[in-house]
Amino acid sequence: MADKNGRGASRTEIRLAGEGGQGMILAGIVLAEAAAIYDDKNAIQTQSYGPEARGGASKSEVILSEGEIDYPKVISPDVLVVMSQEACDKYASSLKKNGLLIVDEEKVGRVPTSRAVKVPITRLALEASGKAITANVVALGVLVGLTQIVSRQAIEKAVTARAPKGTQDMNRAALLAGFAAAERLSGRQAPETSVPA
Amino acid sequence: MADKNGRGASRTEIRLAGEGGQGMILAGIVLAEAAAIYDDKNAIQTQSYGPEARGGASKSEVILSEGEIDYPKVISPDVLVVMSQEACDKYASSLKKNGLLIVDEEKVGRVPTSRAVKVPITRLALEASGKAITANVVALGVLVGLTQIVSRQAIEKAVTARAPKGTQDMNRAALLAGFAAAERLSGRQAPETSVPA
């Protein structure tokens, strides 16, 4: 089933936005690979660079679908993750009505809706892995934990496959910290181990 | 000016295809960033994952344009780089008439046209940098050297910006090896230093 824009009912649009160097592009690739390689969905992952590319902002878009993806651009995201104030200011209004806005609460002071999900993503990355650079993986953990758009097993495999040699454990720790934050937000108790080994 | 498909006259479509692990996705990102961040063009970089994603094949697509890019999918590439026989068999027929086909000649034995540009990309990577993993950067050097779709300065900056810490020189050597191969193919003499320092 598709709507008048040719979008299938199962289509989910995700936009990940932040500053250059925060790994938003890699996060998009990992999410798309989780869906396509490990969860048997179709996925398209896109970066569009316009004049804003010279400003240091970075965004990555992923479309997931059970069926074929006919229109490859994000129209209005179902899920938006913003890791900087600039990204929030720029993209929050594009979010679908009742869409999910996830913000790094220590990076984004002004949020345009009371419905945003605020998580100290970069701080959790530091605490869980010792490295702020894993914030993109924490963000994926929060996103997947809250939405289940891909399975936890799939995202964990995709993160591990893309992690540079010697950083697999660090990245896995960051992912689990994201899952745990999502569980706290959902009001469920985080079990000691949230993903089957 | 745009044709009946809404494609601007300056639009260039590039497809980079090979096996997983050859870095074709990163090559696409680097090429898009060279164009958008350092050369002031617009760029879209896309990965589409369908059922074939489970087969280990990997492809990355880049669209470059002086103007706005309205349709974000590659329709028929102007330039196709193939780093595996499977990729060549699968995508060679999609190439635009008179398009440029660049193949890693040690990976691709059967080429469907006599007009293909054959370069020992992976061997050059090993010789120039000591690491076969830089083959994706050699491929970018050949592509940019032959087509000038982005400036040499821009691709060098983009490669350097994306190279993991401690591998900048290795990646720069791979890029220059690609430039030099392109110069030999163009019948021009490779100068000792092909890019201004």
Side-chain angles (χ1 to χ4, degrees):
Chain A
M1 198 171 73
D3 69 13
K4 68 185 165 60
N5 295 314
R7 286 181 279 172
S10 75
R11 176 182 173 114
T12 306
E13 301 187 347
I14 301 118
R15 179 174 284 152
L16 309 165
E19 294 164 8
Q22 286 183 313
M24 294 294 99
I25 293 180
L26 183 56
I29 291 171
V30 167
L31 182 59
E33 293 185 344
I37 299 175
Y38 304 107
D39 259 359
D40 212 31
K41 290 187 179 184
N42 292 311
I44 289 186
Q45 192 279 322
T46 302
Q47 282 81 241
S48 307
Y49 304 84
E52 83 287 358
R54 271 76 75 184
S58 175
K59 80 165 192 294
S60 179
E61 298 181 337
V62 182
I63 301 169
L64 306 180
S65 178
E66 303 286 345
E68 208 173 316
I69 298 169
D70 42 10
Y71 187 72
K73 254 185 162 166
V74 162
I75 300 158
S76 182
D78 302 277
V79 183
L80 171 63
V81 178
V82 288
M83 302 286 285
S84 73
Q85 186 65 54
E86 184 189 349
C88 187
D89 295 346
K90 189 162 180 185
Y91 298 116
S93 64
S94 68
L95 190 65
K96 197 166 286 177
K97 193 166 176 274
N98 299 320
L100 173 64
L101 175 61
I102 299 172
V103 308
D104 186 329
E105 65 179 338
E106 294 182 346
K107 303 272 181 183
V108 183
R110 298 182 309 278
V111 181
T113 163
S114 59
R115 294 183 51 256
V117 172
K118 297 176 187 177
V119 184
I121 293 173
T122 305
R123 180 156 56 79
L124 289 177
L126 256 172
E127 290 171 2
S129 75
K131 301 273 185 191
I133 190 77
T134 64
N136 60 346
V137 177
V138 174
L140 286 176
V142 173
L143 191 166
V144 170
L146 289 176
T147 64
Q148 281 97 44
I149 44 173
V150 300
S151 68
R152 290 181 175 203
Q153 288 80 358
I155 196 75
E156 189 174 358
K157 284 181 192 163
V159 164
T160 306
R162 279 275 165 203
K165 217 190 286 182
T167 71
Q168 275 92 354
D169 286 347
M170 182 189 301
N171 279 287
R172 195 162 171 269
L175 185 67
L176 295 181
F179 289 163
E183 284 170 332
R184 288 193 298 276
L185 287 162
S186 306
R188 283 178 285 137
Q189 196 67 35
E192 271 184 47
T193 309
S194 55
V195 171
Chain B
M1 197 172 72
D3 69 13
K4 66 186 166 61
N5 296 314
R7 287 181 277 173
S10 75
R11 177 181 173 115
T12 305
E13 301 187 346
I14 301 118
R15 178 174 285 153
L16 309 165
E19 294 164 9
Q22 286 183 314
M24 295 294 99
I25 293 180
L26 182 57
I29 292 170
V30 167
L31 181 60
E33 293 184 345
I37 299 175
Y38 304 107
D39 259 358
D40 212 31
K41 291 188 179 183
N42 292 311
I44 290 186
Q45 193 279 322
T46 303
Q47 283 81 241
S48 307
Y49 304 85
E52 83 288 357
R54 270 77 76 185
S58 175
K59 81 166 191 294
S60 180
E61 297 180 339
V62 181
I63 300 170
L64 306 180
S65 177
E66 303 286 346
E68 207 173 316
I69 298 168
D70 42 10
Y71 188 73
K73 254 184 164 165
V74 162
I75 301 157
S76 181
D78 301 279
V79 184
L80 171 64
V81 178
V82 288
M83 301 286 284
S84 73
Q85 186 66 53
E86 185 189 348
C88 187
D89 295 345
K90 190 162 178 182
Y91 297 117
S93 63
S94 69
L95 190 66
K96 196 166 288 177
K97 192 165 175 276
N98 299 320
L100 173 64
L101 174 62
I102 299 172
V103 308
D104 186 331
E105 66 180 338
E106 294 182 347
K107 303 271 181 182
V108 182
R110 297 182 308 278
V111 180
T113 161
S114 58
R115 293 184 51 256
V117 171
K118 298 176 186 178
V119 183
I121 294 174
T122 305
R123 179 157 57 80
L124 289 177
L126 256 172
E127 289 171 1
S129 75
K131 301 274 185 188
I133 190 76
T134 65
N136 60 346
V137 177
V138 174
L140 286 176
V142 174
L143 191 167
V144 170
L146 289 176
T147 64
Q148 281 97 44
I149 44 172
V150 300
S151 68
R152 289 180 175 204
Q153 289 79 357
I155 195 76
E156 188 173 1
K157 285 180 190 163
V159 164
T160 307
R162 279 277 165 201
K165 215 190 290 182
T167 70
Q168 275 92 354
D169 286 347
M170 183 190 299
N171 279 287
R172 195 164 172 269
L175 186 66
L176 294 181
F179 290 163
E183 284 169 332
R184 288 193 299 275
L185 287 162
S186 306
R188 283 178 286 139
Q189 196 66 33
E192 271 183 46
T193 309
S194 54
V195 172

